[in-house]
């Protein structure tokens, strides 16, 4: 059995009772079409499920309608959520994405060159991949960075990591104890900003911040470092730099017989959907991944060089409940 034929522009024209040229004008956003005619064509497009041929449209517009996305890894939940949000935001704008994962043997400069050779209109550099931006000199395509400092020469979008971490840590300090920190990698911008917010909260409360422990975003790192903290009876509150490490830390605390939150309050960062189903449900900072992605795609499709900061929201749950 052969598959159904893909609808052609002539099919849309016949259904709408107009010429193929009129259909083309509507598809390409020309103004010289009456409102009634435009409506008939749009209804015919929707009814038939017509999609313009991407290659032909690229020849007309000079744009490929493909955006590049570069990630360092897809093993972290935050990166995966960001990629999913970027793909959805691109689709809403009529774009598809070409993905490059840096892995162990692909430099960011090489990834950008590869995307340029594919003819993408711009590229979004996601989260952990932004740490390698210094390797890119004279990028051949427009770049937008997600989670990067504002003192670089590319447009950026980031969550308000520092402010959110300050608010979260202050919430934990209100229990009356310093907050121990399982931090992210030292070369991660997001981890640095979250750690800075944690430190500022201690300064604001007149407390000394304990020495942070350094993790790698994984639940296993959280478990290992959580076990170290569980052996210290003075530890009464723990802020993990992401929800996955918080999951591991909670596992270690449970295994050591430390009750959460009565003995130790625990909080994370990212706001993954599973956090509400941890035991107990995890207090966290919820990043607006959809808002970050929409802002990144908007900048990629413009010529504006700005730095956007997207608010993040503290979500208090049972893991940090007061005694």
């Amino acid at each position: 059995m052969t598959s159904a034929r893909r609808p052609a522009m002539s099919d849309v024209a016949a259904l709408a009772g107009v010429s193929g040229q009129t259909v083309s004008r509507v598809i390409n956003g020309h103004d010289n079409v009456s409102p009634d005619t435009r409506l008939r064509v749009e209804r015919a497009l929707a009814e038939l499920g017509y999609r313009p041929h991407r290659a032909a449209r690229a020849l007309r517009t000079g744009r490929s309608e493909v955006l590049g996305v570069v990630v360092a890894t897809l093993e972290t939940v935050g990166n995966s959520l960001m990629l999913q949000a970027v793909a959805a935001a691109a689709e809403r704008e009529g774009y598809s994405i070409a993905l490059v994962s840096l892995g162990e043997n692909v430099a960011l400069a090489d990834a950008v060159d590869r995307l340029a050779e594919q003819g993408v209109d711009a590229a979004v550099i996601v989260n952990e991949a932004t740490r390698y931006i210094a390797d890119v000199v004279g990028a051949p395509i427009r770049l937008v960075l997600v989670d990067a400092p504002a003192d670089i020469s590319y447009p950026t979008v980031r969550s308000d990591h520092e402010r959110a971490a300050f608010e979260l840590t202050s919430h934990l300090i209100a229990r009356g104890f310093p907050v121990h920190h399982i931090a992210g990698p030292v070369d991660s911008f997001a981890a640095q900003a979250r750690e800075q917010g944690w430190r500022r909260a201690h300064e604001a409360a007149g407390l000394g911040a304990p020495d942070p422990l350094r993790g790698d975003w994984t639940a296993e790192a959280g478990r290992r470092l959580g076990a170290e903290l569980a052996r210290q009876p003075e530890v009464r509150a723990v802020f993990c730099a992401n929800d996955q490490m918080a999951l591991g830390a909670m596992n270690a605390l449970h295994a050591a017989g430390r009750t959460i939150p009565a003995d130790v309050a625990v909080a994370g960062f990212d706001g993954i959907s599973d956090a509400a189903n941890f035991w107990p449900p995890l207090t966290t900072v919820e990043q607006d991944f959809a808002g970050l992605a929409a802002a990144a795609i908007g900048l990629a499709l413009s010529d504006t060089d700005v730095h956007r900061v997207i608010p993040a929201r503290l979500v208090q749950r049972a893991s940090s409940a007061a005694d």
Side-chain angles (χ1 to χ4, degrees), residues 157-181:
V157 177
R158 62 179 171 85
S159 288
D160 200 348
H161 301 282
E162 184 174 339
R163 179 183 293 275
F166 176 91
E167 183 179 355
L168 173 58
T169 306
S170 298
H171 161 69
L172 294 173
I173 286 175
R175 291 169 56 97
F177 305 98
V179 178
H180 291 256
H181 186 38

mmCIF file with all atom_site columns, all heavy atoms in Angstrom, residues 157-181:
data_model
loop_
_atom_site.group_PDB
_atom_site.id
_atom_site.type_symbol
_atom_site.label_atom_id
_atom_site.label_alt_id
_atom_site.label_comp_id
_atom_site.label_asym_id
_atom_site.label_entity_id
_atom_site.label_seq_id
_atom_site.pdbx_PDB_ins_code
_atom_site.Cartn_x
_atom_site.Cartn_y
_atom_site.Cartn_z
_atom_site.occupancy
_atom_site.B_iso_or_equiv
_atom_site.pdbx_formal_charge
_atom_site.auth_seq_id
_atom_site.auth_comp_id
_atom_site.auth_asym_id
_atom_site.auth_atom_id
_atom_site.pdbx_PDB_model_num
ATOM 1   N N   . VAL A 1 157 ? 20.894 34.412 27.386 1.00 0.00 ? 157 VAL A N   1
ATOM 2   C CA  . VAL A 1 157 ? 19.676 34.211 28.161 1.00 0.00 ? 157 VAL A CA  1
ATOM 3   C C   . VAL A 1 157 ? 20.054 33.351 29.358 1.00 0.00 ? 157 VAL A C   1
ATOM 4   O O   . VAL A 1 157 ? 20.772 32.361 29.206 1.00 0.00 ? 157 VAL A O   1
ATOM 5   C CB  . VAL A 1 157 ? 18.586 33.498 27.334 1.00 0.00 ? 157 VAL A CB  1
ATOM 6   C CG1 . VAL A 1 157 ? 17.353 33.250 28.202 1.00 0.00 ? 157 VAL A CG1 1
ATOM 7   C CG2 . VAL A 1 157 ? 18.221 34.299 26.101 1.00 0.00 ? 157 VAL A CG2 1
ATOM 8   N N   . ARG A 1 158 ? 19.590 33.721 30.529 1.00 0.00 ? 158 ARG A N   1
ATOM 9   C CA  . ARG A 1 158 ? 19.896 32.902 31.706 1.00 0.00 ? 158 ARG A CA  1
ATOM 10  C C   . ARG A 1 158 ? 18.806 33.028 32.739 1.00 0.00 ? 158 ARG A C   1
ATOM 11  O O   . ARG A 1 158 ? 18.074 34.028 32.788 1.00 0.00 ? 158 ARG A O   1
ATOM 12  C CB  . ARG A 1 158 ? 21.229 33.326 32.331 1.00 0.00 ? 158 ARG A CB  1
ATOM 13  C CG  . ARG A 1 158 ? 21.268 34.753 32.832 1.00 0.00 ? 158 ARG A CG  1
ATOM 14  C CD  . ARG A 1 158 ? 22.626 35.077 33.457 1.00 0.00 ? 158 ARG A CD  1
ATOM 15  N NE  . ARG A 1 158 ? 22.789 36.482 33.767 1.00 0.00 ? 158 ARG A NE  1
ATOM 16  C CZ  . ARG A 1 158 ? 22.376 37.062 34.889 1.00 0.00 ? 158 ARG A CZ  1
ATOM 17  N NH1 . ARG A 1 158 ? 21.766 36.346 35.810 1.00 0.00 ? 158 ARG A NH1 1
ATOM 18  N NH2 . ARG A 1 158 ? 22.579 38.350 35.097 1.00 0.00 ? 158 ARG A NH2 1
ATOM 19  N N   . SER A 1 159 ? 18.680 32.012 33.567 1.00 0.00 ? 159 SER A N   1
ATOM 20  C CA  . SER A 1 159 ? 17.837 32.104 34.750 1.00 0.00 ? 159 SER A CA  1
ATOM 21  C C   . SER A 1 159 ? 18.504 33.014 35.769 1.00 0.00 ? 159 SER A C   1
ATOM 22  O O   . SER A 1 159 ? 19.726 33.188 35.766 1.00 0.00 ? 159 SER A O   1
ATOM 23  C CB  . SER A 1 159 ? 17.627 30.719 35.377 1.00 0.00 ? 159 SER A CB  1
ATOM 24  O OG  . SER A 1 159 ? 16.788 29.918 34.591 1.00 0.00 ? 159 SER A OG  1
ATOM 25  N N   . ASP A 1 160 ? 17.714 33.566 36.660 1.00 0.00 ? 160 ASP A N   1
ATOM 26  C CA  . ASP A 1 160 ? 18.269 34.397 37.724 1.00 0.00 ? 160 ASP A CA  1
ATOM 27  C C   . ASP A 1 160 ? 18.758 33.480 38.851 1.00 0.00 ? 160 ASP A C   1
ATOM 28  O O   . ASP A 1 160 ? 18.214 33.448 39.953 1.00 0.00 ? 160 ASP A O   1
ATOM 29  C CB  . ASP A 1 160 ? 17.208 35.377 38.229 1.00 0.00 ? 160 ASP A CB  1
ATOM 30  C CG  . ASP A 1 160 ? 17.817 36.556 38.962 1.00 0.00 ? 160 ASP A CG  1
ATOM 31  O OD1 . ASP A 1 160 ? 19.026 36.494 39.265 1.00 0.00 ? 160 ASP A OD1 1
ATOM 32  O OD2 . ASP A 1 160 ? 17.103 37.526 39.232 1.00 0.00 ? 160 ASP A OD2 1
ATOM 33  N N   . HIS A 1 161 ? 19.813 32.724 38.548 1.00 0.00 ? 161 HIS A N   1
ATOM 34  C CA  . HIS A 1 161 ? 20.314 31.693 39.459 1.00 0.00 ? 161 HIS A CA  1
ATOM 35  C C   . HIS A 1 161 ? 20.686 32.249 40.824 1.00 0.00 ? 161 HIS A C   1
ATOM 36  O O   . HIS A 1 161 ? 20.334 31.684 41.860 1.00 0.00 ? 161 HIS A O   1
ATOM 37  C CB  . HIS A 1 161 ? 21.558 31.018 38.860 1.00 0.00 ? 161 HIS A CB  1
ATOM 38  C CG  . HIS A 1 161 ? 21.327 30.361 37.544 1.00 0.00 ? 161 HIS A CG  1
ATOM 39  N ND1 . HIS A 1 161 ? 20.707 29.142 37.410 1.00 0.00 ? 161 HIS A ND1 1
ATOM 40  C CD2 . HIS A 1 161 ? 21.651 30.752 36.278 1.00 0.00 ? 161 HIS A CD2 1
ATOM 41  C CE1 . HIS A 1 161 ? 20.668 28.807 36.137 1.00 0.00 ? 161 HIS A CE1 1
ATOM 42  N NE2 . HIS A 1 161 ? 21.228 29.765 35.431 1.00 0.00 ? 161 HIS A NE2 1
ATOM 43  N N   . GLU A 1 162 ? 21.433 33.349 40.830 1.00 0.00 ? 162 GLU A N   1
ATOM 44  C CA  . GLU A 1 162 ? 21.943 33.866 42.092 1.00 0.00 ? 162 GLU A CA  1
ATOM 45  C C   . GLU A 1 162 ? 20.816 34.324 43.004 1.00 0.00 ? 162 GLU A C   1
ATOM 46  O O   . GLU A 1 162 ? 20.785 33.992 44.194 1.00 0.00 ? 162 GLU A O   1
ATOM 47  C CB  . GLU A 1 162 ? 22.932 35.004 41.834 1.00 0.00 ? 162 GLU A CB  1
ATOM 48  C CG  . GLU A 1 162 ? 23.572 35.525 43.116 1.00 0.00 ? 162 GLU A CG  1
ATOM 49  C CD  . GLU A 1 162 ? 24.651 36.558 42.856 1.00 0.00 ? 162 GLU A CD  1
ATOM 50  O OE1 . GLU A 1 162 ? 25.177 36.597 41.728 1.00 0.00 ? 162 GLU A OE1 1
ATOM 51  O OE2 . GLU A 1 162 ? 24.967 37.329 43.794 1.00 0.00 ? 162 GLU A OE2 1
ATOM 52  N N   . ARG A 1 163 ? 19.877 35.087 42.452 1.00 0.00 ? 163 ARG A N   1
ATOM 53  C CA  . ARG A 1 163 ? 18.766 35.571 43.280 1.00 0.00 ? 163 ARG A CA  1
ATOM 54  C C   . ARG A 1 163 ? 17.938 34.406 43.810 1.00 0.00 ? 163 ARG A C   1
ATOM 55  O O   . ARG A 1 163 ? 17.540 34.387 44.980 1.00 0.00 ? 163 ARG A O   1
ATOM 56  C CB  . ARG A 1 163 ? 17.882 36.511 42.470 1.00 0.00 ? 163 ARG A CB  1
ATOM 57  C CG  . ARG A 1 163 ? 16.670 37.049 43.256 1.00 0.00 ? 163 ARG A CG  1
ATOM 58  C CD  . ARG A 1 163 ? 15.802 37.909 42.384 1.00 0.00 ? 163 ARG A CD  1
ATOM 59  N NE  . ARG A 1 163 ? 16.484 39.129 41.997 1.00 0.00 ? 163 ARG A NE  1
ATOM 60  C CZ  . ARG A 1 163 ? 16.509 40.240 42.738 1.00 0.00 ? 163 ARG A CZ  1
ATOM 61  N NH1 . ARG A 1 163 ? 15.894 40.268 43.917 1.00 0.00 ? 163 ARG A NH1 1
ATOM 62  N NH2 . ARG A 1 163 ? 17.143 41.303 42.323 1.00 0.00 ? 163 ARG A NH2 1
ATOM 63  N N   . ALA A 1 164 ? 17.669 33.425 42.957 1.00 0.00 ? 164 ALA A N   1
ATOM 64  C CA  . ALA A 1 164 ? 16.859 32.283 43.378 1.00 0.00 ? 164 ALA A CA  1
ATOM 65  C C   . ALA A 1 164 ? 17.578 31.465 44.448 1.00 0.00 ? 164 ALA A C   1
ATOM 66  O O   . ALA A 1 164 ? 16.962 31.012 45.421 1.00 0.00 ? 164 ALA A O   1
ATOM 67  C CB  . ALA A 1 164 ? 16.526 31.416 42.173 1.00 0.00 ? 164 ALA A CB  1
ATOM 68  N N   . ALA A 1 165 ? 18.893 31.264 44.285 1.00 0.00 ? 165 ALA A N   1
ATOM 69  C CA  . ALA A 1 165 ? 19.651 30.514 45.287 1.00 0.00 ? 165 ALA A CA  1
ATOM 70  C C   . ALA A 1 165 ? 19.697 31.275 46.611 1.00 0.00 ? 165 ALA A C   1
ATOM 71  O O   . ALA A 1 165 ? 19.666 30.671 47.688 1.00 0.00 ? 165 ALA A O   1
ATOM 72  C CB  . ALA A 1 165 ? 21.058 30.239 44.776 1.00 0.00 ? 165 ALA A CB  1
ATOM 73  N N   . PHE A 1 166 ? 19.795 32.604 46.524 1.00 0.00 ? 166 PHE A N   1
ATOM 74  C CA  . PHE A 1 166 ? 19.756 33.433 47.739 1.00 0.00 ? 166 PHE A CA  1
ATOM 75  C C   . PHE A 1 166 ? 18.433 33.225 48.471 1.00 0.00 ? 166 PHE A C   1
ATOM 76  O O   . PHE A 1 166 ? 18.396 33.019 49.689 1.00 0.00 ? 166 PHE A O   1
ATOM 77  C CB  . PHE A 1 166 ? 19.937 34.904 47.365 1.00 0.00 ? 166 PHE A CB  1
ATOM 78  C CG  . PHE A 1 166 ? 19.820 35.857 48.528 1.00 0.00 ? 166 PHE A CG  1
ATOM 79  C CD1 . PHE A 1 166 ? 20.941 36.224 49.254 1.00 0.00 ? 166 PHE A CD1 1
ATOM 80  C CD2 . PHE A 1 166 ? 18.592 36.389 48.897 1.00 0.00 ? 166 PHE A CD2 1
ATOM 81  C CE1 . PHE A 1 166 ? 20.843 37.095 50.331 1.00 0.00 ? 166 PHE A CE1 1
ATOM 82  C CE2 . PHE A 1 166 ? 18.479 37.259 49.972 1.00 0.00 ? 166 PHE A CE2 1
ATOM 83  C CZ  . PHE A 1 166 ? 19.618 37.612 50.687 1.00 0.00 ? 166 PHE A CZ  1
ATOM 84  N N   . GLU A 1 167 ? 17.335 33.267 47.732 1.00 0.00 ? 167 GLU A N   1
ATOM 85  C CA  . GLU A 1 167 ? 16.017 33.115 48.344 1.00 0.00 ? 167 GLU A CA  1
ATOM 86  C C   . GLU A 1 167 ? 15.849 31.730 48.950 1.00 0.00 ? 167 GLU A C   1
ATOM 87  O O   . GLU A 1 167 ? 15.334 31.577 50.064 1.00 0.00 ? 167 GLU A O   1
ATOM 88  C CB  . GLU A 1 167 ? 14.932 33.361 47.293 1.00 0.00 ? 167 GLU A CB  1
ATOM 89  C CG  . GLU A 1 167 ? 13.516 33.309 47.846 1.00 0.00 ? 167 GLU A CG  1
ATOM 90  C CD  . GLU A 1 167 ? 12.464 33.587 46.786 1.00 0.00 ? 167 GLU A CD  1
ATOM 91  O OE1 . GLU A 1 167 ? 12.842 33.912 45.642 1.00 0.00 ? 167 GLU A OE1 1
ATOM 92  O OE2 . GLU A 1 167 ? 11.262 33.480 47.106 1.00 0.00 ? 167 GLU A OE2 1
ATOM 93  N N   . LEU A 1 168 ? 16.300 30.706 48.227 1.00 0.00 ? 168 LEU A N   1
ATOM 94  C CA  . LEU A 1 168 ? 16.187 29.342 48.731 1.00 0.00 ? 168 LEU A CA  1
ATOM 95  C C   . LEU A 1 168 ? 17.024 29.142 49.986 1.00 0.00 ? 168 LEU A C   1
ATOM 96  O O   . LEU A 1 168 ? 16.561 28.558 50.981 1.00 0.00 ? 168 LEU A O   1
ATOM 97  C CB  . LEU A 1 168 ? 16.624 28.373 47.642 1.00 0.00 ? 168 LEU A CB  1
ATOM 98  C CG  . LEU A 1 168 ? 16.724 26.893 48.031 1.00 0.00 ? 168 LEU A CG  1
ATOM 99  C CD1 . LEU A 1 168 ? 15.399 26.376 48.547 1.00 0.00 ? 168 LEU A CD1 1
ATOM 100 C CD2 . LEU A 1 168 ? 17.198 26.060 46.850 1.00 0.00 ? 168 LEU A CD2 1
ATOM 101 N N   . THR A 1 169 ? 18.265 29.613 49.949 1.00 0.00 ? 169 THR A N   1
ATOM 102 C CA  . THR A 1 169 ? 19.142 29.454 51.115 1.00 0.00 ? 169 THR A CA  1
ATOM 103 C C   . THR A 1 169 ? 18.604 30.219 52.312 1.00 0.00 ? 169 THR A C   1
ATOM 104 O O   . THR A 1 169 ? 18.660 29.724 53.454 1.00 0.00 ? 169 THR A O   1
ATOM 105 C CB  . THR A 1 169 ? 20.565 29.928 50.771 1.00 0.00 ? 169 THR A CB  1
ATOM 106 O OG1 . THR A 1 169 ? 21.031 29.248 49.613 1.00 0.00 ? 169 THR A OG1 1
ATOM 107 C CG2 . THR A 1 169 ? 21.519 29.663 51.925 1.00 0.00 ? 169 THR A CG2 1
ATOM 108 N N   . SER A 1 170 ? 18.079 31.412 52.091 1.00 0.00 ? 170 SER A N   1
ATOM 109 C CA  . SER A 1 170 ? 17.485 32.187 53.181 1.00 0.00 ? 170 SER A CA  1
ATOM 110 C C   . SER A 1 170 ? 16.312 31.433 53.803 1.00 0.00 ? 170 SER A C   1
ATOM 111 O O   . SER A 1 170 ? 16.120 31.457 55.028 1.00 0.00 ? 170 SER A O   1
ATOM 112 C CB  . SER A 1 170 ? 17.022 33.550 52.663 1.00 0.00 ? 170 SER A CB  1
ATOM 113 O OG  . SER A 1 170 ? 18.117 34.305 52.177 1.00 0.00 ? 170 SER A OG  1
ATOM 114 N N   . HIS A 1 171 ? 15.530 30.771 52.958 1.00 0.00 ? 171 HIS A N   1
ATOM 115 C CA  . HIS A 1 171 ? 14.417 29.944 53.453 1.00 0.00 ? 171 HIS A CA  1
ATOM 116 C C   . HIS A 1 171 ? 14.934 28.844 54.367 1.00 0.00 ? 171 HIS A C   1
ATOM 117 O O   . HIS A 1 171 ? 14.355 28.576 55.432 1.00 0.00 ? 171 HIS A O   1
ATOM 118 C CB  . HIS A 1 171 ? 13.668 29.356 52.251 1.00 0.00 ? 171 HIS A CB  1
ATOM 119 C CG  . HIS A 1 171 ? 12.816 28.174 52.568 1.00 0.00 ? 171 HIS A CG  1
ATOM 120 N ND1 . HIS A 1 171 ? 11.662 28.257 53.322 1.00 0.00 ? 171 HIS A ND1 1
ATOM 121 C CD2 . HIS A 1 171 ? 12.959 26.854 52.230 1.00 0.00 ? 171 HIS A CD2 1
ATOM 122 C CE1 . HIS A 1 171 ? 11.118 27.051 53.450 1.00 0.00 ? 171 HIS A CE1 1
ATOM 123 N NE2 . HIS A 1 171 ? 11.889 26.188 52.795 1.00 0.00 ? 171 HIS A NE2 1
ATOM 124 N N   . LEU A 1 172 ? 16.042 28.204 53.990 1.00 0.00 ? 172 LEU A N   1
ATOM 125 C CA  . LEU A 1 172 ? 16.595 27.140 54.816 1.00 0.00 ? 172 LEU A CA  1
ATOM 126 C C   . LEU A 1 172 ? 17.241 27.690 56.090 1.00 0.00 ? 172 LEU A C   1
ATOM 127 O O   . LEU A 1 172 ? 17.118 27.091 57.164 1.00 0.00 ? 172 LEU A O   1
ATOM 128 C CB  . LEU A 1 172 ? 17.628 26.343 54.012 1.00 0.00 ? 172 LEU A CB  1
ATOM 129 C CG  . LEU A 1 172 ? 17.098 25.550 52.817 1.00 0.00 ? 172 LEU A CG  1
ATOM 130 C CD1 . LEU A 1 172 ? 18.251 24.944 52.025 1.00 0.00 ? 172 LEU A CD1 1
ATOM 131 C CD2 . LEU A 1 172 ? 16.135 24.455 53.268 1.00 0.00 ? 172 LEU A CD2 1
ATOM 132 N N   . ILE A 1 173 ? 17.917 28.832 55.988 1.00 0.00 ? 173 ILE A N   1
ATOM 133 C CA  . ILE A 1 173 ? 18.567 29.437 57.161 1.00 0.00 ? 173 ILE A CA  1
ATOM 134 C C   . ILE A 1 173 ? 17.539 29.808 58.216 1.00 0.00 ? 173 ILE A C   1
ATOM 135 O O   . ILE A 1 173 ? 17.841 29.797 59.425 1.00 0.00 ? 173 ILE A O   1
ATOM 136 C CB  . ILE A 1 173 ? 19.388 30.675 56.731 1.00 0.00 ? 173 ILE A CB  1
ATOM 137 C CG1 . ILE A 1 173 ? 20.665 30.230 56.001 1.00 0.00 ? 173 ILE A CG1 1
ATOM 138 C CG2 . ILE A 1 173 ? 19.736 31.558 57.926 1.00 0.00 ? 173 ILE A CG2 1
ATOM 139 C CD1 . ILE A 1 173 ? 21.481 31.377 55.439 1.00 0.00 ? 173 ILE A CD1 1
ATOM 140 N N   . ALA A 1 174 ? 16.313 30.087 57.783 1.00 0.00 ? 174 ALA A N   1
ATOM 141 C CA  . ALA A 1 174 ? 15.256 30.459 58.730 1.00 0.00 ? 174 ALA A CA  1
ATOM 142 C C   . ALA A 1 174 ? 14.983 29.352 59.745 1.00 0.00 ? 174 ALA A C   1
ATOM 143 O O   . ALA A 1 174 ? 14.386 29.620 60.808 1.00 0.00 ? 174 ALA A O   1
ATOM 144 C CB  . ALA A 1 174 ? 13.975 30.813 57.978 1.00 0.00 ? 174 ALA A CB  1
ATOM 145 N N   . ARG A 1 175 ? 15.416 28.138 59.485 1.00 0.00 ? 175 ARG A N   1
ATOM 146 C CA  . ARG A 1 175 ? 15.288 27.057 60.460 1.00 0.00 ? 175 ARG A CA  1
ATOM 147 C C   . ARG A 1 175 ? 16.269 27.222 61.615 1.00 0.00 ? 175 ARG A C   1
ATOM 148 O O   . ARG A 1 175 ? 16.166 26.529 62.631 1.00 0.00 ? 175 ARG A O   1
ATOM 149 C CB  . ARG A 1 175 ? 15.523 25.709 59.785 1.00 0.00 ? 175 ARG A CB  1
ATOM 150 C CG  . ARG A 1 175 ? 14.425 25.293 58.814 1.00 0.00 ? 175 ARG A CG  1
ATOM 151 C CD  . ARG A 1 175 ? 14.843 24.103 57.982 1.00 0.00 ? 175 ARG A CD  1
ATOM 152 N NE  . ARG A 1 175 ? 15.252 22.959 58.790 1.00 0.00 ? 175 ARG A NE  1
ATOM 153 C CZ  . ARG A 1 175 ? 14.468 21.934 59.092 1.00 0.00 ? 175 ARG A CZ  1
ATOM 154 N NH1 . ARG A 1 175 ? 13.215 21.905 58.659 1.00 0.00 ? 175 ARG A NH1 1
ATOM 155 N NH2 . ARG A 1 175 ? 14.922 20.942 59.815 1.00 0.00 ? 175 ARG A NH2 1
ATOM 156 N N   . GLY A 1 176 ? 17.277 28.122 61.427 1.00 0.00 ? 176 GLY A N   1
ATOM 157 C CA  . GLY A 1 176 ? 18.193 28.426 62.514 1.00 0.00 ? 176 GLY A CA  1
ATOM 158 C C   . GLY A 1 176 ? 19.575 27.832 62.391 1.00 0.00 ? 176 GLY A C   1
ATOM 159 O O   . GLY A 1 176 ? 20.347 27.873 63.366 1.00 0.00 ? 176 GLY A O   1
ATOM 160 N N   . PHE A 1 177 ? 19.920 27.303 61.219 1.00 0.00 ? 177 PHE A N   1
ATOM 161 C CA  . PHE A 1 177 ? 21.206 26.640 61.041 1.00 0.00 ? 177 PHE A CA  1
ATOM 162 C C   . PHE A 1 177 ? 21.870 27.098 59.741 1.00 0.00 ? 177 PHE A C   1
ATOM 163 O O   . PHE A 1 177 ? 21.194 27.469 58.783 1.00 0.00 ? 177 PHE A O   1
ATOM 164 C CB  . PHE A 1 177 ? 21.025 25.116 60.983 1.00 0.00 ? 177 PHE A CB  1
ATOM 165 C CG  . PHE A 1 177 ? 20.301 24.532 62.151 1.00 0.00 ? 177 PHE A CG  1
ATOM 166 C CD1 . PHE A 1 177 ? 18.944 24.254 62.070 1.00 0.00 ? 177 PHE A CD1 1
ATOM 167 C CD2 . PHE A 1 177 ? 20.972 24.276 63.339 1.00 0.00 ? 177 PHE A CD2 1
ATOM 168 C CE1 . PHE A 1 177 ? 18.265 23.710 63.154 1.00 0.00 ? 177 PHE A CE1 1
ATOM 169 C CE2 . PHE A 1 177 ? 20.309 23.737 64.419 1.00 0.00 ? 177 PHE A CE2 1
ATOM 170 C CZ  . PHE A 1 177 ? 18.937 23.453 64.335 1.00 0.00 ? 177 PHE A CZ  1
ATOM 171 N N   . PRO A 1 178 ? 23.216 27.041 59.699 1.00 0.00 ? 178 PRO A N   1
ATOM 172 C CA  . PRO A 1 178 ? 23.897 27.240 58.413 1.00 0.00 ? 178 PRO A CA  1
ATOM 173 C C   . PRO A 1 178 ? 23.470 26.147 57.439 1.00 0.00 ? 178 PRO A C   1
ATOM 174 O O   . PRO A 1 178 ? 23.041 25.061 57.840 1.00 0.00 ? 178 PRO A O   1
ATOM 175 C CB  . PRO A 1 178 ? 25.389 27.127 58.770 1.00 0.00 ? 178 PRO A CB  1
ATOM 176 C CG  . PRO A 1 178 ? 25.453 27.326 60.244 1.00 0.00 ? 178 PRO A CG  1
ATOM 177 C CD  . PRO A 1 178 ? 24.166 26.793 60.806 1.00 0.00 ? 178 PRO A CD  1
ATOM 178 N N   . VAL A 1 179 ? 23.622 26.432 56.164 1.00 0.00 ? 179 VAL A N   1
ATOM 179 C CA  . VAL A 1 179 ? 23.195 25.507 55.110 1.00 0.00 ? 179 VAL A CA  1
ATOM 180 C C   . VAL A 1 179 ? 24.423 24.972 54.389 1.00 0.00 ? 179 VAL A C   1
ATOM 181 O O   . VAL A 1 179 ? 25.218 25.748 53.847 1.00 0.00 ? 179 VAL A O   1
ATOM 182 C CB  . VAL A 1 179 ? 22.264 26.220 54.105 1.00 0.00 ? 179 VAL A CB  1
ATOM 183 C CG1 . VAL A 1 179 ? 21.863 25.267 52.978 1.00 0.00 ? 179 VAL A CG1 1
ATOM 184 C CG2 . VAL A 1 179 ? 21.033 26.770 54.820 1.00 0.00 ? 179 VAL A CG2 1
ATOM 185 N N   . HIS A 1 180 ? 24.579 23.661 54.377 1.00 0.00 ? 180 HIS A N   1
ATOM 186 C CA  . HIS A 1 180 ? 25.662 23.037 53.635 1.00 0.00 ? 180 HIS A CA  1
ATOM 187 C C   . HIS A 1 180 ? 25.272 22.968 52.160 1.00 0.00 ? 180 HIS A C   1
ATOM 188 O O   . HIS A 1 180 ? 24.093 22.876 51.819 1.00 0.00 ? 180 HIS A O   1
ATOM 189 C CB  . HIS A 1 180 ? 25.965 21.652 54.196 1.00 0.00 ? 180 HIS A CB  1
ATOM 190 C CG  . HIS A 1 180 ? 26.570 21.708 55.568 1.00 0.00 ? 180 HIS A CG  1
ATOM 191 N ND1 . HIS A 1 180 ? 27.911 21.489 55.810 1.00 0.00 ? 180 HIS A ND1 1
ATOM 192 C CD2 . HIS A 1 180 ? 26.013 21.980 56.781 1.00 0.00 ? 180 HIS A CD2 1
ATOM 193 C CE1 . HIS A 1 180 ? 28.158 21.628 57.098 1.00 0.00 ? 180 HIS A CE1 1
ATOM 194 N NE2 . HIS A 1 180 ? 27.023 21.921 57.713 1.00 0.00 ? 180 HIS A NE2 1
ATOM 195 N N   . HIS A 1 181 ? 26.294 23.007 51.309 1.00 0.00 ? 181 HIS A N   1
ATOM 196 C CA  . HIS A 1 181 ? 26.028 23.108 49.872 1.00 0.00 ? 181 HIS A CA  1
ATOM 197 C C   . HIS A 1 181 ? 26.756 22.024 49.102 1.00 0.00 ? 181 HIS A C   1
ATOM 198 O O   . HIS A 1 181 ? 27.982 21.877 49.221 1.00 0.00 ? 181 HIS A O   1
ATOM 199 C CB  . HIS A 1 181 ? 26.483 24.482 49.361 1.00 0.00 ? 181 HIS A CB  1
ATOM 200 C CG  . HIS A 1 181 ? 26.126 24.747 47.931 1.00 0.00 ? 181 HIS A CG  1
ATOM 201 N ND1 . HIS A 1 181 ? 24.941 24.340 47.354 1.00 0.00 ? 181 HIS A ND1 1
ATOM 202 C CD2 . HIS A 1 181 ? 26.813 25.401 46.948 1.00 0.00 ? 181 HIS A CD2 1
ATOM 203 C CE1 . HIS A 1 181 ? 24.908 24.731 46.086 1.00 0.00 ? 181 HIS A CE1 1
ATOM 204 N NE2 . HIS A 1 181 ? 26.040 25.365 45.809 1.00 0.00 ? 181 HIS A NE2 1
#
